[in-house]
Amino acid sequence: MERDRRPAAADGGMAVMNDLSLRSATPADLDAVLAFWKVAAEGTSISDDGDGVARLVERDPAALILAEREGALVGTVIVGFDGWRCHLYRLAVHPDQRRRGVGGALLAAAEERFVALGGRRADAMVLDRNTSAHQAWRAAGYEPQPQWSRWVKHLTG
């Protein structure tokens, strides 16, 4: 049976694509998300802890989009908008679910949210060494900008 193919609504509402469901994370999801990132995400972040993800969900309840298939978490993306720029983080798909439309569905939902918020260009944080991700980002229409470098200063120990 074919179901609704719309991506997640900008307000965090539920959407279904075939057997893939997209929704915004809730505080009850945080432990599962952190465990998922250990399996599916490339690298770690200083914010990969319960407090960091809880702050994200509290500040912007629609920012962390989850993809589920048959009740299991199969993908995530953080859709950050600061009122000026659109930023994508933590696009992660479970290794067993890659090349099955999960990443594309998450990016479509993210882009829909950005447009609804008035965003005009999205950027993504992608590790240079993550070449399989490069293919996925290019397939979604993104391209690297070699003239930019990321500069970082950790604010906490």
Side-chain angles (χ1 to χ4, degrees), residues 80-116:
F81 182 66
D82 60 16
W84 183 41
R85 293 207 173 143
C86 306
H87 304 286
L88 294 163
Y89 308 93
R90 280 296 189 225
L91 176 63
V93 176
H94 192 281
D96 294 342
Q97 295 290 316
R98 293 181 182 154
R99 303 189 60 81
R100 295 184 58 198
V102 176
L106 286 165
L107 287 176
E111 292 165 3
E112 181 180 288
R113 180 171 192 255
F114 287 149
V115 169

Side-chain angles (χ1 to χ4, degrees), residues 3-37:
R3 296 185 191 167
D4 186 352
R5 291 180 168 270
R6 290 173 296 155
D11 65 0
M14 181 70 133
V16 178
M17 186 180 102
N18 293 333
D19 63 340
L20 185 69
S21 298
L22 302 179
R23 66 177 178 85
S24 296
T26 67
D29 296 311
L30 302 185
D31 289 339
V33 167
L34 289 167
F36 176 78
W37 285 344

